[in-house]
Amino acid sequence: MSKTYLTTANGAPVADDDTSISAGERGSLTFDNVHLFEKLAHFNRERIPERVVHARGYGAYGTFTLNKDLSDYTIADFLQGADKKTNVFLRFSTVAGGQDSSDYVRDVRGFALRFYTEQGNYDIVGNNTPVFFIRDPAKFPDFIHSQKKDPKTNLPDPAHHFEFWANHPQAMHQITILMSDRGIPGSLRHMNGYGSHTLSLWNKEGERFWVKWHFKTNQGIETLTNDEAAKQPGDGMQRDLVEAIERGDFPGWSVKIQMMTDEQAKQCEFNPFDLTKVWPHKEFPLNDIGTLELNRNVGNYFAETEQVAFAPSNLVPGVGVSPDKVLQGRLFAYADAHRHRLGVNYQQIPVNKPICPVHHYQRDGVMAGASGCSVTGHLQNADVNFYPNDRSDAPVPAPQFGEPSMPLENHAWLKAYDSSDEDNYSQAGNLYRIMSEVQKQQLVSNIVDGLSQATESVQSRMVEHFTRCDEDYGQRIKALLLK
């Protein structure tokens, strides 16, 4: 069997990897240490910018199996015909902490899913909660700043969390979920996932249907208390996921959607595009459409999990977005973050590369590759780089895949719900009232642990917000704060 020889990056064999070239046995190093300089220079550049949010993540490959034909609602190829299988990549993450944070912090978990469809990559970039803290993307940087470490001490500060929330009562629904028993999952396999945003499907007749995606864990829900979480190893969730897949215990989720027609959206008593709201299941029941299974770990964490680049703007024919304002902001922000972290050609990285041919007139940039390149394989060597052109074999638009227009006529969504009297409390109160006594006690205790560190003004406003959700909810928090 022939040996595999160590080489430099340009392919030249390396004679010695243990000793640098020096001017004599005890002399200084010389300037012709090409291999040494290459190793040190590359080592200095191994790290790319950390994600501002969702930095600590864990990913795996799997399969989505459609069990219900959705051709009446969409032309999306991966939703056509029962038993259709589509390869996927799923990345879990915490939101606020950096890569050095624990798996077991009380935090929302990212649940970002990519479908490698025959007409491009479709990303559903959601969380393990069906709602979020804000309804306008202008507040996202402020919200994340409030959840990060104190800019002076570089230490976590719960007082900042509650100071932001006291000024943004739209967060009450998400706070109630985060501070409940579901705030710390027992494992990544034992939590649900949600598209969170209202998304849409559209069919060949040009009809649009608003949808909410749900991924219900088949392993059952498991959660941890603060005390239980404190006893776990910092990397326990990632280890659990990797080891489960390695031993063939493939985690799965039942995939369901809620659906709403245009007319139902117009008549809805609440804004169906508000990210702080859920759609009541009695009015908009869950429809089972398939199963999601994770069955293969990544081969290289950095190349795949760290460089995978999800974006809500990754759409395919038959699926679309909605007037959800936070979603609209993310259509720009996510892809822009990837261009910053990975370069303008980030979609040519293998984990981000579509399985279908890619043809466009975008050119150059860092890491641009020609057709046939093992890394990129995009159309960089064509003899024309502009459109329109006179070449008969050059890429042309496909008008048959044109998406129906979003409604902007009178009584359209964008203004109908833009009011100062938005209901921030009812759904949070409804959630509180269905909790068991044990769950209520845990919820209140978790809230007071952090709220007790805030100013009296913040405490007073938060108690008022909780009371507007439910009288008992607010009074329990007030009483525990006074102890």
Side-chain angles (χ1 to χ4, degrees):
M1 182 176 179
S2 61
K3 290 184 178 180
T4 300
Y5 290 108
L6 180 68
T7 73
T8 58
N10 67 305
V14 173
D16 187 343
D17 191 44
D18 295 319
T19 307
S20 301
I21 301 171
S22 62
E25 184 177 350
R26 298 186 179 183
S28 298
L29 300 185
T30 61
F31 208 71
D32 57 352
N33 273 278
V34 176
H35 178 52
L36 168 66
F37 295 164
E38 178 184 276
K39 288 184 70 174
L40 294 178
H42 191 281
F43 181 75
N44 287 342
R45 293 163 175 80
E46 284 185 356
R47 295 295 170 263
I48 60 176
E50 182 177 286
R51 289 174 170 89
V52 178
V53 288
H54 298 279
R56 187 174 179 86
Y58 341 87
Y61 295 93
T63 306
F64 167 67
T65 303
L66 183 70
N67 62 22
K68 179 181 180 180
D69 176 70
L70 296 179
S71 58
D72 287 344
Y73 306 101
T74 178
I75 65 169
D77 72 83
F78 75 107
L79 298 176
Q80 307 291 307
D83 299 323
K84 179 72 177 286
K85 294 183 182 297
T86 303
N87 291 332
V88 301
F89 188 92
L90 175 59
R91 185 179 187 269
F92 305 95
S93 58
T94 53
V95 174
Q99 289 180 332
D100 60 341
S101 59
S102 170
D103 288 355
Y104 293 95
V105 293
R106 182 171 296 278
D107 194 2
V108 176
R109 264 67 184 177
F111 193 98
L113 180 64
R114 167 165 297 160
F115 299 86
Y116 294 97
T117 86
E118 296 167 12
Q119 293 182 319
N121 293 343
Y122 176 48
D123 294 349
I124 297 179
V125 193
N127 289 319
N128 72 330
T129 61
V131 297
F132 200 60
F133 298 94
I134 57 173
R135 64 169 63 96
D136 193 297
K139 301 315 302 174
F140 187 74
D142 302 286
F143 165 67
I144 292 300
H145 288 165
S146 76
Q147 307 301 297
K148 294 285 189 178
K149 295 177 181 178
D150 182 278
K152 178 181 178 181
T153 66
N154 198 40
L155 296 172
D157 192 344
H160 289 181
H161 306 176
F162 283 95
E163 184 175 349
F164 179 88
W165 293 335
N167 289 291
H168 297 85
Q170 61 197 264
M172 296 308 298
H173 195 176
Q174 178 74 312
I175 294 170
T176 303
I177 297 173
L178 177 63
M179 296 297 173
S180 74
D181 54 342
R182 302 232 176 161
I184 307 178
S187 84
L188 303 171
R189 299 180 296 123
H190 293 89
M191 69 180 193
N192 294 335
Y194 302 88
S196 302
H197 296 289
T198 297
L199 300 170
S200 60
L201 302 175
W202 50 272
N203 63 20
K204 59 185 178 182
E205 282 78 33
E207 299 172 303
R208 188 183 297 275
F209 303 87
W210 308 112
V211 294
K212 292 270 195 182
W213 288 77
H214 301 249
F215 304 88
K216 300 291 189 177
T217 176
N218 294 335
Q219 291 72 237
I221 295 291
E222 292 184 7
T223 61
L224 298 174
T225 64
N226 288 340
D227 290 341
E228 291 169 336
K231 299 174 183 177
Q232 303 300 317
D235 62 355
M237 288 195 187
Q238 180 173 1
R239 186 178 302 276
D240 173 82
L241 178 67
V242 169
E243 292 180 350
I245 294 174
E246 285 297 310
R247 66 174 179 264
D249 183 12
F250 302 141
W253 287 260
S254 297
V255 183
K256 304 173 185 292
I257 60 172
Q258 291 175 282
M259 192 172 295
M260 183 185 294
T261 66
D262 264 346
E263 191 58 35
Q264 287 175 314
K266 291 177 180 178
Q267 301 301 321
C268 193
E269 62 182 14
F270 60 90
N271 180 357
F273 311 113
D274 182 347
L275 186 54
T276 71
K277 302 284 195 301
V278 296
W279 295 359
H281 290 189
K282 288 184 178 179
E283 297 177 48
F284 306 99
L286 294 176
N287 298 292
D288 186 84
I289 66 164
T291 57
L292 170 66
E293 178 186 85
L294 298 182
N295 48 37
R296 179 165 64 93
N297 283 314
V298 299
N300 182 284
Y301 178 87
F302 179 85
E304 294 158 277
T305 304
E306 184 60 17
Q307 291 194 119
V308 68
F310 294 95
S313 54
N314 282 345
L315 302 166
V316 295
V319 302
V321 295
S322 79
D324 177 338
K325 294 179 180 179
V326 178
L327 173 60
Q328 293 286 325
R330 294 177 84 201
L331 293 178
F332 163 76
Y334 271 62
D336 188 58
H338 302 320
R339 295 182 189 105
H340 164 64
R341 293 184 67 243
L342 304 170
V344 71
N345 291 302
Y346 70 89
Q347 287 174 306
Q348 299 179 17
I349 296 171
V351 71
N352 298 320
K353 187 177 176 181
I355 62 171
C356 61
V358 174
H359 304 290
H360 55 63
Y361 296 96
Q362 297 168 13
R363 286 296 181 272
D364 306 337
V366 176
M367 295 299 291
S371 178
C373 173
S374 61
V375 176
T376 58
H378 276 222
L379 192 66
Q380 288 280 354
N381 64 344
D383 61 353
V384 61
N385 59 358
F386 57 90
Y387 178 84
N389 57 67
D390 297 336
R391 279 68 164 186
S392 61
D393 59 347
V396 296
Q400 66 270 30
F401 296 120
E403 181 177 355
S405 300
M406 286 280 183
L408 290 176
E409 70 278 4
N410 290 336
H411 308 297
W413 336 107
L414 295 182
K415 291 292 184 183
Y417 304 103
D418 187 13
S419 61
S420 59
D421 59 350
E422 183 69 56
D423 179 4
N424 296 311
Y425 305 105
S426 294
Q427 291 198 355
N430 292 338
L431 177 59
Y432 175 81
R433 285 184 285 274
I434 65 172
M435 292 183 179
S436 67
E437 179 59 27
V438 171
Q439 289 174 320
K440 289 178 179 178
Q441 291 176 5
Q442 183 178 345
L443 169 67
V444 170
S445 176
N446 291 335
I447 289 172
V448 172
D449 279 350
L451 183 55
S452 62
Q453 302 177 50
T455 65
E456 289 187 9
S457 172
V458 169
Q459 290 181 14
S460 176
R461 281 177 283 160
M462 289 304 300
V463 167
E464 179 182 351
H465 291 323
F466 289 122
T467 301
R468 293 185 66 177
C469 296
D470 183 274
E471 182 74 23
D472 179 67
Y473 193 1
Q475 291 308 307
R476 289 191 190 213
I477 291 171
K478 182 178 181 180
L480 193 55
L481 280 171
L482 293 174
K483 283 190 176 181

